[in-house]
Amino acid sequence: MRLKTQTKLLIDANNKDVEDMLYKQYLVDYRNMDAEHFTNFEDYKLKAFGPKVKAEKLDKEKILSDAEKIKMADQKEGK
């Protein structure tokens, strides 16, 4: 089996284990939910894991400009 396939299987198995543990936690919390505070598992999972953060793509000029600003600020503090 290829390394890439093995890695994907391990990651998928780990994600499933994490989801199973979260579901057990949900069942404990479910016992204390009433009609007003009910949350389905999908919403519970989203709340637990939070939204995925998307990385912002920066172009080379922006990165160099930011680095130059940091360098100048550092040099001013060093005087």
Side-chain angles (χ1 to χ4, degrees):
M1 194 180 303
R2 296 179 59 193
L3 182 60
K4 201 176 208 181
T5 306
Q6 290 175 342
T7 304
K8 183 178 179 346
L9 287 173
L10 287 172
I11 290 171
D12 290 345
N14 185 49
N15 289 343
K16 185 65 177 162
D17 286 344
V18 169
E19 189 172 321
D20 287 344
M21 286 188 282
L22 183 65
Y23 187 71
K24 288 176 185 176
Q25 181 179 339
Y26 171 77
L27 292 176
V28 171
D29 290 343
Y30 179 80
R31 299 173 90 198
N32 299 319
M33 291 183 201
D34 56 11
E36 184 179 333
H37 297 100
F38 176 77
T39 304
N40 65 28
F41 180 66
E42 290 303 316
D43 292 340
Y44 190 85
K45 187 166 63 169
L46 286 174
K47 184 178 177 186
F49 294 132
K52 299 209 181 222
V53 177
K54 292 185 179 180
E56 175 185 347
K57 284 206 168 203
L58 300 174
D59 60 347
K60 184 177 177 179
E61 290 79 25
K62 173 74 172 139
I63 295 171
L64 291 174
S65 171
D66 290 347
E68 190 63 36
K69 289 177 188 176
I70 293 169
K71 181 180 174 184
M72 291 173 69
D74 187 46
Q75 289 174 347
K76 286 181 183 177
E77 288 181 13
K79 289 184 178 180

